[in-house]
Amino acid sequence: MNEIEKKIEELRKTLRYHSDRYYNDDAPEIEDYEYDMMMRELKSLEEQYPQYDSIDSPTKKVGGRADNTFESVPHTVRMESLQDAFSEDELYDFEKRVRDTVNNPEYVVEPKIDGLSVSLEYRDGLFVRGSTRGDGDVGEDVSANLRVIRNIPLKLNENIPYIEVRGEVYMPKKSFERVVDRQLLNDEKPFKNPRNAAAGSLRQKDSVVTASRGLDIFVFNIQQIEGKELTSHKQSLDYLKHLGFNTIDSYKKVTNIKDAIEEIKRIGENRGNLEYDIDGAVIKVDSFSQRDVLGSTAKYPKWAVAFKYPPEEKQTKLVDIEIAVGRTGVLTPTAILESVHLAGTTVSRATLHNQDFINEKGIGIGDIVTVRKAGDIIPEVLCVNEHNASEIFKYPEICPSCHEKVIREDGEAAIRCINPECPAQLLRNLIHFCSRDAMDIEGLGPAIIENFVDNGIIKNTIDIYCLDYDKILSLEGFKETSVNNIKASVEKSKQNDLSKLIFALGIRHIGAKAGKLLSDHFKDIDSIVNASKEEILEIDGFGEIMAESVVSYFSSNSARELVDALKKYGVNTKSTNVVEDERFKGMTFVLTGTLPTLKRAEASKIIESFGGKTSSSVSKKTTYVLAGEDAGSKLDKANSLGIKVIDENEFMGMIK
């Protein structure tokens, strides 16, 4: 293999990887601009060296694929992607190709929404199905999740026999910020940008989660229609609006490419003021008959082109670095900059990610740095242009909020404070402590907890068990009934099993299941507090990181003081799980699919009451796989490993 062929294959491999991360995992690792430039380089090489062309090259395929989570939907009309342009010269080249084929073309220019492309189908004016683009030919049926998006009409303003439209599901900037705040609060990895947040939200198995994410849609194309004759794109957009679809307001018809370019510039200058993310603008030939003449390539329509805005970058001075303690205890550095105008807004702060990033770039206070907006949302420092600092910035060794020593765990980039009473983490810890899977204190939801913290009623975890109920009654919106309900729920939580308390403490790497394993093994909290790493590792299901996390947590004085205070206020610290029948002792069950009558949590509880345990993955150690409807890949793996598969009837027979 020569150097050119090797380069082409490397580019294809890299592009396939990043395409999969972007389209299918909703977790991009590089910026769109880097991806576009690699794609452009590959396309150029394939044109120069046609002997190395390949039908499965990324230059010829739409990036996504149908996921086996949802039912597949073949697209009757292919959902094509668009050819990209990055300069005015390329737009003039596009216009020349169009004029070489058709006479006097007119164009429609519209913003290119950065979201997830979907198809919506209607029969007799009623919504019947919605699907993702997938690979352009086959997508995923996400009808249930699309139904909960507010601006998708379930009934059109006309009972048209059949229409299929194409739109872009997106997450508004305000919704994105709200979702990321909630993810950080729950110690989850936040979405990188609104596009991936929208894609991840639309692919949820539970449409209630989708509904909570604040998604929206712009419909921009008619794929096919019966009962109505339309001759142009502008006419179709006006008709879509009449039917009740949400179309973008700023589409404009022009008669020449020069005016189209001026409109693209206008959209670009205004994009920083939009409530949604755009990554470019699209020029489309307006006449449908001319589109038919122009046709398509294997991947792109020849009658449209997408101009991609390059990420705007500016140089400025880094005047300081602030360290903030997040709600999960992670110390996050923020660059304080001399203000600079960037992508339509004034930027004076930018993310520096972590200490590894700072070391890699050699960043210090006083340096001249290049800043850009990642995905036009979050400003970030790209590089140092001029080193003025005497040394690279180093994180503090103690938490700026509580002054306890900070740690960096093996294999992690994050440096964090693990003090459970750290003021910076208070709200997140309190919400977690009171949540359903933890202490399950009804009436103390996130909004009420935040209210109590703001009013000084709760200053730490233990305050939950010595609330000033008279002070709560004085707050707006609280009456005697609601206060009595909170009081009763707090008292009830004192009787919880030890496993719920362990989970409620918010120990790093210790979820609800690990809390139950600790509770069942050690039986009381004092034994857990004093357990060594080696003793914890004796528990089947515990690894080095989990064991070290438990030992590290209870080694702090603040954690031990919290445990003592909880005992003082009457919170149960012993295991209430007594196994009288051990018929499942030593057995491991994996639950998959939907059972006819039992919920998974109910089945798990039954298994554990008989001395067995449950696991989330199938392995050679699995004893039984309890399978219901739509069992999926776990059932396949069980069959391949020869693991016995049982249904609910067999399971009920086993526990009689």
Side-chain angles (χ1 to χ4, degrees), residues 240-256:
L240 286 170
K241 192 181 293 186
H242 162 72
L243 287 177
F245 290 109
N246 193 37
T247 60
I248 201 158
D249 291 329
S250 51
Y251 57 87
K252 183 177 181 180
K253 184 176 177 178
V254 297
T255 57
N256 58 72

Side-chain angles (χ1 to χ4, degrees), residues 288-318:
F288 287 165
S289 61
Q290 288 183 337
R291 288 186 184 187
D292 290 339
V293 173
L294 287 161
S296 299
T297 67
K299 186 175 181 181
Y300 309 112
K302 294 180 181 179
W303 43 263
V305 65
F307 180 82
K308 298 295 246 347
Y309 298 116
E312 189 179 359
E313 300 175 0
K314 292 281 181 70
Q315 289 187 17
T316 188
K317 185 177 182 179
L318 194 157

Side-chain angles (χ1 to χ4, degrees), residues 272-520:
N273 301 320
L274 299 174
E275 295 179 356
Y276 44 85
D277 225 11
I278 66 172
D279 59 354
V282 182
I283 301 176
K284 299 176 181 176
V285 171
D286 187 41
S287 166
F288 287 165
S289 61
Q290 288 183 337
R291 288 186 184 187
D292 290 339
V293 173
L294 287 161
S296 299
T297 67
K299 186 175 181 181
Y300 309 112
K302 294 180 181 179
W303 43 263
V305 65
F307 180 82
K308 298 295 246 347
Y309 298 116
E312 189 179 359
E313 300 175 0
K314 292 281 181 70
Q315 289 187 17
T316 188
K317 185 177 182 179
L318 194 157
V319 297
D320 198 4
I321 295 177
E322 289 182 356
I323 298 291
V325 185
R327 290 170 176 170
T328 63
V330 175
L331 274 61
T332 304
T334 299
I336 309 302
L337 310 166
E338 286 187 352
S339 296
V340 60
H341 196 71
L342 190 64
T345 58
T346 300
V347 172
S348 58
R349 301 168 70 85
T351 180
L352 290 171
H353 301 293
N354 51 50
Q355 184 69 66
D356 289 347
F357 179 84
I358 292 170
N359 293 344
E360 178 190 339
K361 305 293 183 183
I363 297 170
I365 295 171
D367 289 345
I368 304 299
V369 297
T370 294
V371 186
R372 82 170 174 201
K373 279 192 172 182
D376 288 334
I377 297 290
I378 306 165
E380 66 176 352
V381 172
L382 283 182
C383 62
V384 175
N385 302 96
E386 182 183 322
H387 289 284
N388 295 325
S390 57
E391 60 182 5
I392 295 173
F393 178 82
K394 299 293 181 189
Y395 269 46
E397 294 184 355
I398 62 170
C399 171
S401 178
C402 68
H403 308 296
E404 289 268 348
K405 190 175 177 63
V406 296
I407 67 163
R408 178 172 180 171
E409 296 175 345
D410 290 341
E412 283 204 355
I415 294 172
R416 68 176 68 239
C417 170
I418 60 168
N419 175 14
E421 298 301 302
C422 176
Q425 302 172 65
L426 176 63
L427 183 60
R428 177 260 173 187
N429 289 339
L430 290 170
I431 291 172
H432 173 74
F433 189 89
C434 297
S435 64
R436 180 177 297 177
D437 290 335
M439 295 304 280
D440 192 19
I441 304 179
E442 293 181 20
L444 288 186
I448 291 176
I449 291 172
E450 192 166 358
N451 187 353
F452 287 0
V453 170
D454 291 343
N455 283 283
I457 293 172
I458 297 180
K459 302 184 183 68
N460 52 50
T461 303
I462 203 61
D463 281 349
I464 292 169
Y465 291 100
C466 49
L467 290 170
D468 186 339
Y469 292 105
D470 290 334
K471 191 171 182 180
I472 294 172
L473 272 172
S474 69
L475 298 178
E476 184 180 351
F478 287 89
K479 296 185 177 178
E480 196 166 336
T481 301
S482 58
V483 170
N484 285 338
N485 287 339
I486 292 173
K487 186 187 293 187
S489 190
V490 168
E491 287 301 311
K492 182 183 175 184
S493 74
K494 294 179 181 180
Q495 309 306 316
N496 284 335
D497 182 59
L498 171 60
S499 61
K500 294 182 77 69
L501 175 59
I502 295 297
F503 177 56
L505 293 175
I507 305 170
R508 185 108 170 108
H509 304 302
I510 303 301
K513 185 164 186 173
K516 183 153 185 31
L517 290 174
L518 282 167
S519 173
D520 291 347

